[in-house]
Amino acid sequence: MRLHPLACSIALACTALHAEDAPPAKPDDAKKPGHSLHGEAFNEGPRQAAVLMPGTGDVHFPVTTKNELAQKFFTQGVGQLHGFWYFEAERSFRQAAALDAECAMAYWGMAMANVNNQKRAMDFMKTAVAKKGPASRREQVWIDTWAAYFSEAKNEEGARRAALVKALEELVFEFPDDLEAKAFLVYQLWDNSQHGSPLPSRLTVDALAQQVLAANPAHPVHHYLIHLWNVGEGDKHALAAAARCGQAAPAIAHMWHMSGHTFSKLRRYADATWQQEASARVDHAYMAAARILPEQIHNYAHNNDWLVKDLANVGRAQDAIDLAKNMIELPRLDAAHSQAYHLGRERLTETLVKYEMWSDLTALENSVYLAPAEQAEVEARRLAALGVAYFSEGKSEDGGRELKALEALRAKARADRMAAADAAEAKAKTEKKNPDDTTKAMAEAMKGFAYPLSTTEAALAEVKIYQALGDARPDVVKPLLAEARDIPAERRARLHFAIGEKDEALKHARDASNADPAQVQPLANLAGLLWRAEKKDEARAAFEKLRKLSAPLDLSLPAFAQLAPIAEDLKLPKDWREPASIATDTGTRPDLAALGPFRWRPSAAPSWSLRDGEGKPHALADFKGKPVLVVFYLGSGCSHCIEQLNTFAPLTAQFADAGIQIIAVSTDSAAGLHKTFEQGKDGKGFPFPILADDSLAAFKSYRAFDDFENIPLHGTYLIDGDGFVRWQNISYQPFRDASWLLGESKRLLSVPVNRPDKLTAVRPPNGRADN
């Protein structure tokens, strides 16, 4: 894989700073194993060392410290704050504090990295206040300004926000050359407007940002300008910032992403796609270098969800499907953190149906990509998509099966609704409520079933439409169209055309295309229906509009293949796409492929060789071809660790049935492992090997180690038979949801990894296809 020099620098840096380089911790009192020695606020957040990386923003923020490296990490953290890369910003500030524990502004930075977590921010700011004595007057004002905002005072949030703006204004007046004061004031004025405070003039805030850019044109304040103008019709005023935002901090994926907001709002989907793809690639390169999971990255799922939609908007349907699949393949952190998975499923189904890729859709029915869903409304949409696809392919028996499943889903929803009403009635009677209150309680209990039930009924009507078309019963279709609320206008147009209602069909097709003329599929749909309706001149006109957007189209898709007769009529070649046009207002863009891979791929597991209590050696290499679950625990004296091992022990056979061997690795010496075995629930030890790593070498290589405090952490890792880490959890507390992890492990091991990136060939300006 060819990487941008930026990604290579990060990868090299991640191996450059070892745990032993960090100063030892100075514990104030004994803490639970894995917990920070410095207090609760330090338990969460990054526990591994930061590295200096290029491309985090050109900022200048001198602080009081005699350690040159601490200053560099502090400056890096400020750049990361401007890019909303809060997790990494906190890591940089922690590194600064590790290098100079008396640097008050390092703790200010940690608080700022937790601007959305009042409790942690407040705890960090207390330390900043306590250490501010030796700092300069300027630094003390910075600390006092934000300490007042993060204080425990019960002031209403709006009042605290207004006071913060006034304090920042005073900071700017006292230190007019401090560009960071102006930049953070720009941010705060915008952020306050997102929380109910009025913003009478955006142009005034823009003018303040321009003062920063006049002194430093590459400052990441471009990011705030995009947010500032991302309202109403304002995005056109952010074009200059959109052209420079990613370039201002190229190592921060969110900085590339934000320009996509501007271009999407302006319906420049090809440019938006470029930005979002750049963001995804930078994220993927960073994940590979830092060995972290996608769901740990702020905004990752949101960016890729938007990217899939914009890929579909420009006609790169296969790329959209590939990326949606990759989102589904991603490891979920736990039962509560699976945003990318759910968004990926939604986008996958949506794109396959939108582009009528019926055989691709039905081929996924029994795969991990279209597995049955727990939520009734999600399952209804899945069954509807499959039913529509099967009937469209003429497979009425398969389509009928999906119809029956939808009917069963509706029956269950109705039964669950009645059961909830009965339970509410019984509870009300027990509480001796009057009849009116009882009725209200029953109605409230039933309310939660309204949307899933109506969605299921709409899905049933949708599938029945395609069944009726397959049975040549057009008279049945029209009343069902009124019930099938979720069919988009362009597909509704084709259905009206199929039952002979051409005028109604063209009305829906025009409405869909006019709603967003920059989306290629509705425009192709309109051109095709106009041609079939013998409105040839209008069809040619629509087709010519489409050609101006055609560079990224996949002409093999039914939506575009249907237009071959129009291209032939116009005496155009089979590849009738026009070359891509080059925008002149998007800034200097690097080669996308050089930023990182299109898809996320798991990282390789570090090798290890350890001994058990009897001195027998075990190595990761022993498990080549076989998945293994490795649990790093903090010795026999860690009660929560023993609870974790006793949680996994009863499921050992089920993991084995899934082909997964469990192994535990302890901080104890080999001689001390017997103390762990003595704590097995059945008194017979544990049904999996337990290995000794008292040197902590394996803990460190797997990053289950706090580099700042020189203490081991809890870690659990699923490693596949090819030696790739498919799932991990590193924390100050052990992961104990063994049943969930068993299911997630089966799911992850059933999907492929390291598939090559093979993207749609976009017709370039010179007219040559280029992968």
Side-chain angles (χ1 to χ4, degrees):
M1 177 178 66
R2 188 164 54 94
L3 288 180
H4 187 272
L6 165 67
C8 292
S9 298
I10 294 173
L12 290 171
C14 282
T15 63
L17 188 58
H18 299 286
E20 54 265 30
D21 297 325
K26 298 176 182 178
D28 296 323
D29 51 65
K31 297 289 183 181
K32 297 177 182 176
H35 288 237
S36 171
L37 302 170
H38 300 306
E40 183 181 352
F42 289 84
N43 283 337
E44 299 176 20
R47 305 289 291 270
Q48 293 78 30
V51 296
L52 291 175
M53 58 181 78
T56 57
D58 182 7
V59 299
H60 180 67
F61 200 132
V63 296
T64 300
T65 178
K66 294 180 180 179
N67 190 301
E68 183 179 346
L69 198 54
Q71 175 66 70
K72 289 181 178 179
F73 276 109
F74 179 86
T75 302
Q76 174 171 282
V78 173
Q80 290 164 333
L81 286 179
H82 286 315
F84 293 177
W85 205 8
Y86 292 131
F87 194 81
E88 288 306 315
E90 183 178 336
R91 192 192 306 277
S92 294
F93 293 125
R94 284 197 182 199
Q95 192 67 48
L99 293 163
D100 182 354
E102 299 309 309
C103 178
M105 287 299 286
Y107 302 93
W108 169 90
M110 294 178 213
M112 293 296 292
N114 286 276
V115 68
N116 297 314
N117 187 327
Q118 174 84 4
K119 186 178 185 305
R120 293 190 75 220
M122 187 169 60
D123 287 347
F124 287 130
M125 196 59 77
K126 286 178 181 177
T127 305
V129 170
K131 293 178 179 287
K132 74 175 184 177
S136 68
R137 160 69 184 168
R138 175 179 143 276
E139 294 167 80
Q140 290 184 11
V141 174
W142 272 99
I143 291 170
D144 291 343
T145 293
W146 287 93
Y149 176 72
F150 288 127
S151 72
E152 295 177 277
K154 302 299 181 182
N155 294 351
E156 186 265 331
E157 183 180 4
R160 287 192 299 112
R161 286 179 171 274
L164 177 57
V165 166
K166 288 182 180 179
L168 286 169
E169 288 175 337
E170 291 301 319
L171 179 58
V172 170
F173 277 122
E174 186 172 352
F175 303 98
D177 295 329
D178 190 340
L179 295 185
E180 295 312 307
K182 294 177 181 178
F184 277 100
L185 178 54
V186 170
Y187 161 77
Q188 199 57 51
L189 286 165
W190 164 76
D191 189 55
N192 282 6
S193 74
Q194 303 300 296
H195 293 83
S197 299
L199 187 57
S201 172
R202 293 179 188 274
L203 184 59
T204 302
V205 182
D206 189 300
L208 180 60
Q210 297 306 326
Q211 291 183 30
V212 177
L213 294 173
N216 180 5
H219 194 282
V221 75
H222 291 294
H223 177 200
Y224 303 146
L225 285 172
I226 293 175
H227 279 290
L228 176 70
W229 290 112
N230 189 216
V231 59
E233 301 297 320
D235 290 271
K236 59 181 177 289
H237 301 304
L239 270 173
R244 296 170 176 82
C245 188
Q247 292 85 339
I252 302 178
H254 185 66
M255 296 290 279
W256 294 107
H257 163 82
M258 278 309 303
S259 301
H261 278 251
T262 301
F263 292 123
S264 286
K265 284 290 291 292
L266 296 174
R267 294 177 176 171
R268 291 174 54 172
Y269 295 121
D271 288 321
T273 298
W274 192 98
Q275 297 291 155
Q276 291 148 357
E277 186 173 333
S279 177
R281 288 175 180 273
V282 169
D283 261 341
H284 293 156
Y286 177 72
M287 291 172 200
R291 290 155 50 198
I292 59 176
L293 300 184
E295 290 280 10
Q296 294 176 271
I297 295 285
H298 162 72
N299 214 49
Y300 175 79
H302 164 68
N303 177 77
N304 282 24
D305 174 57
W306 202 329
L307 174 54
V308 172
K309 288 189 282 190
D310 277 346
L311 286 168
N313 286 343
V314 300
R316 291 171 59 184
Q318 192 58 61
D319 295 340
I321 289 165
D322 283 351
L323 190 60
K325 282 184 173 180
N326 189 232
M327 292 174 72
I328 296 167
E329 295 164 357
L330 299 178
R332 298 176 284 192
L333 297 184
D334 52 44
H337 296 87
S338 53
Q339 185 183 19
Y341 172 81
H342 292 297
L343 289 173
R345 280 181 58 115
E346 186 175 343
R347 295 287 87 78
L348 176 64
T349 305
E350 177 184 84
T351 306
L352 288 167
V353 173
K354 181 174 186 174
Y355 280 95
E356 298 184 324
M357 301 170 72
W358 307 130
S359 60
D360 296 80
L361 199 161
T362 57
L364 297 176
E365 180 175 14
N366 296 314
S367 73
V368 67
Y369 303 106
L370 280 183
E374 293 182 7
Q375 287 181 285
E377 61 269 31
V378 178
E379 178 65 359
R381 294 190 192 103
R382 182 187 79 92
L383 294 170
L386 288 165
V388 166
Y390 279 127
F391 280 121
S392 296
E393 289 184 302
K395 298 177 179 178
S396 57
E397 185 176 337
D398 292 318
R401 182 183 68 244
E402 307 304 333
L403 261 180
K404 287 182 180 179
L406 274 168
E407 288 166 349
L409 188 66
R410 179 177 62 179
K412 183 179 184 304
R414 287 174 172 172
D416 289 346
R417 181 177 62 175
M418 291 307 301
D422 291 343
E425 181 182 31
K427 184 173 183 292
K429 287 181 177 179
T430 301
E431 295 172 354
K432 298 181 179 179
K433 290 186 176 181
N434 61 48
D436 286 346
D437 287 343
T438 299
T439 301
K440 287 179 183 177
M442 293 173 67
E444 188 64 29
M446 295 173 69
K447 192 183 296 183
F449 295 89
Y451 181 67
L453 188 53
S454 65
T455 301
T456 304
E457 289 172 341
L460 267 167
E462 183 177 345
V463 177
K464 287 178 179 178
I465 288 170
Y466 287 84
Q467 181 187 47
L469 289 175
D471 293 342
R473 293 183 291 127
D475 56 305
V476 177
V477 172
K478 190 165 185 178
L480 288 170
L481 278 168
E483 299 175 33
R485 69 174 191 213
D486 295 328
I487 299 177
E490 64 267 23
R491 188 149 58 93
R492 195 172 289 271
R494 294 197 294 278
L495 293 171
H496 279 288
F497 200 95
I499 61 175
E501 296 182 345
K502 294 182 180 180
D503 290 342
E504 187 70 12
L506 294 178
K507 176 184 179 301
H508 283 291
R510 289 189 180 99
D511 288 345
S513 182
N514 291 337
D516 191 345
Q519 288 195 34
V520 296
Q521 189 267 347
L523 189 52
N525 181 64
L526 174 60
L529 289 177
L530 286 167
W531 188 262
R532 291 166 62 190
E534 299 297 323
K535 296 183 180 292
K536 301 296 179 69
D537 288 341
E538 288 185 70
R540 294 185 188 100
F543 181 78
E544 288 298 345
K545 288 181 182 178
L546 178 65
R547 286 196 74 208
K548 290 179 171 57
L549 305 169
S550 63
L553 302 188
D554 180 352
L555 296 183
S556 68
L557 296 172
F560 309 122
Q562 64 159 335
L563 305 179
I566 306 179
E568 186 178 351
D569 174 78
L570 294 170
K571 296 182 170 45
L572 295 172
K574 287 186 178 180
D575 186 350
W576 45 263
R577 300 177 301 165
E578 288 190 353
S581 59
I582 300 178
T584 59
D585 59 355
T586 57
T588 303
R589 288 174 163 177
D591 175 20
L592 274 174
L595 293 176
F598 183 68
R599 300 180 187 85
W600 174 80
R601 298 180 175 94
S603 58
S607 61
W608 48 260
S609 180
L610 302 167
R611 295 183 180 273
D612 60 23
E614 297 177 356
K616 180 181 177 182
H618 300 258
L620 179 61
D622 299 339
F623 299 92
K624 186 175 182 180
K626 297 174 287 186
V628 59
L629 185 74
V630 184
V631 179
F632 287 84
Y633 75 100
L634 307 184
S636 59
C638 170
S639 60
H640 291 309
C641 299
I642 300 303
E643 289 175 13
Q644 179 192 33
L645 296 182
N646 277 311
T647 299
F648 277 90
L651 295 179
T652 303
Q654 293 182 49
F655 274 95
D657 289 343
I660 303 167
Q661 166 75 57
I662 298 177
I663 289 181
V665 177
S666 174
T667 55
D668 290 327
S669 66
L673 291 180
H674 69 90
K675 294 180 181 178
T676 293
F677 275 97
E678 292 169 358
Q679 298 181 69
K681 274 186 178 179
D682 60 3
K684 298 179 181 178
F686 293 93
F688 41 74
I690 298 181
L691 313 179
D693 182 31
D694 51 332
S695 72
L696 304 181
F699 276 83
K700 292 176 183 178
S701 69
Y702 276 76
R703 308 192 79 195
F705 195 82
D706 187 322
D707 295 330
F708 304 119
E709 302 184 30
N710 277 325
I711 58 174
L713 299 171
H714 306 275
T716 307
Y717 305 81
L718 174 68
I719 303 170
D720 68 18
D722 294 320
F724 290 101
V725 178
R726 304 297 294 276
W727 182 90
Q728 67 183 33
N729 177 277
I730 304 170
S731 178
Y732 65 95
Q733 53 191 355
F735 185 87
R736 284 182 275 187
D737 194 347
S739 296
W740 177 87
L741 184 53
L742 174 61
E744 180 68 356
S745 298
K746 291 177 181 179
R747 184 185 76 85
L748 291 171
L749 294 173
S750 72
V751 299
V753 294
N754 293 329
R755 290 184 287 120
D757 292 343
K758 185 171 177 59
L759 306 181
T760 300
V762 176
R763 189 159 191 168
N766 61 15
R768 293 176 297 145
D770 183 11
N771 273 321

